[in-house]
Amino acid sequence: MSKVKILVVGGTGYLGQHLLQAYADSNGTLSSFDLAFTHHSSPPPHPLLDAIPSSLHFQVDLKTDSGFEPISNTFGQPDVVVNCAAVSVPRACEIDPATAHAINVPSSLVKWLQSFEKRSTLLIHLSTDQVYEGEKSFYKEEDIAVPVNVYGKTKVAAEQFISENYPNFAILRSSIIYGPQTVSPVPKSLPIQWIDGTLAKGEKVEFFHDEFRCPIYVKDLVTIILALTSQRISEGKQMQLLLNVGGADRVSRVQMAEAVAQFRGYDTSLIKSVSASSVDRGVKSPADISMDITRLVQTLGIHPVSFIDGVRLTLTTEARQ
């Protein structure tokens, strides 16, 4: 049986690294994989290359559409592509909307997949909960997407582009992704580690009490992507799937901080509750984009962990590392 070819676009980012490691660790159990990933900066970090030594890596620039031809020549047509590449900081999207649109709408990736004679590759694309307006709780996939910032607008445009131009896809609307650090540490601050480090100083810190999300533990998100990969391998049928992928709990930033404090035994009086409207972040942020994940549970039978359990798993893994 031939190996299943997996390409992770944006493999050096937070989710990309966790995903590559999971594919490598499941090699021979879930299936036999040939792994490849793309990166924007060159060369990719050595710790990542050491962790997945049999993988291929390719430099791709999504802004200029360059770098896909060597993948065709060296790796060939992938069976599954997971697109993790994005400009995901909302303020950066506001500052440079053109770059955000060029990277977040995967037109060059889709056109490359269209270049193959068979349209058999499954494209798993990471979207965001910020496609929702934030005016109610527990949004469903069929609710109208009304994004309030440039980041959300580029992600809606990406969803539309994929669904109109490619026949085989799974779009995952992800909330905040949290969990342990990657094998090659990413430069951005990770949410649980930031809260932990801040509260550990013993100083009062402000957290919003009126913005709500359903943060998802990174290994749950990886499990979802592996399940979709397995479905593609076993059934081989095309899919057009849209899923909310959030965690089990709707939480505010205050509740996130309280969960970390509870696990660590920190003084909860250090957590100062403030309104999101009290801070100018240079970008409009939706108030409540909690998501209903019924479709995820029914489709894949996966139940994401509770937020407090995710915090425990994150901080105990960090301690072991």
Side-chain angles (χ1 to χ4, degrees), residues 68-89:
F68 285 106
E69 191 174 339
I71 305 177
S72 302
N73 297 338
T74 308
F75 190 63
Q77 181 176 5
D79 295 290
V80 176
V81 172
V82 187
N83 183 28
C84 305
V87 180
S88 58
V89 178

Side-chain angles (χ1 to χ4, degrees), residues 243-303:
L243 291 177
N244 285 340
V245 289
D249 298 312
R250 169 186 178 267
V251 291
S252 67
R253 295 297 203 283
V254 166
Q255 290 170 316
M256 290 172 70
E258 287 171 345
V260 173
Q262 179 187 331
F263 177 77
R264 289 292 204 205
Y266 296 140
D267 181 0
T268 54
S269 70
L270 297 172
I271 300 166
K272 186 181 178 185
S273 175
V274 299
S275 172
S277 62
S278 67
V279 179
D280 180 9
R281 286 172 281 174
V283 57
K284 191 173 181 186
S285 188
D288 187 345
I289 44 177
S290 54
M291 296 187 292
D292 184 317
I293 58 167
T294 303
R295 184 185 292 180
L296 166 69
V297 174
Q298 291 177 344
T299 304
L300 297 177
I302 292 169
H303 296 263

Side-chain angles (χ1 to χ4, degrees), residues 4 35 52 71 117 123 147 155 162-163 184 214 237 293 296:
V4 176
L35 286 178
I52 44 168
I71 305 177
E117 190 177 340
L123 173 58
K155 294 304 247 180
I162 291 165
S163 60
S184 176
C214 291
K237 293 185 293 189
I293 58 167
L296 166 69

Side-chain angles (χ1 to χ4, degrees), residues 5 71 107 126 169 226 250 270 272-273 306 317:
K5 293 182 178 182
I71 305 177
S107 53
L126 269 295
F169 63 84
L226 290 179
R250 169 186 178 267
L270 297 172
K272 186 181 178 185
S273 175
S306 68
T317 304

Side-chain angles (χ1 to χ4, degrees), residues 196-205 266-267 270:
D196 184 36
T198 303
L199 293 177
K201 294 173 185 173
E203 300 167 1
K204 280 205 169 190
V205 192
Y266 296 140
D267 181 0
L270 297 172

Side-chain angles (χ1 to χ4, degrees), residues 2 38 53 86 95 113 125 142 152 192 198-199 202 262 267 270 321:
S2 61
T38 76
I95 293 167
L113 291 175
H125 175 78
E142 58 267 26
I192 303 307
T198 303
L199 293 177
Q262 179 187 331
D267 181 0
L270 297 172
Q321 288 175 342

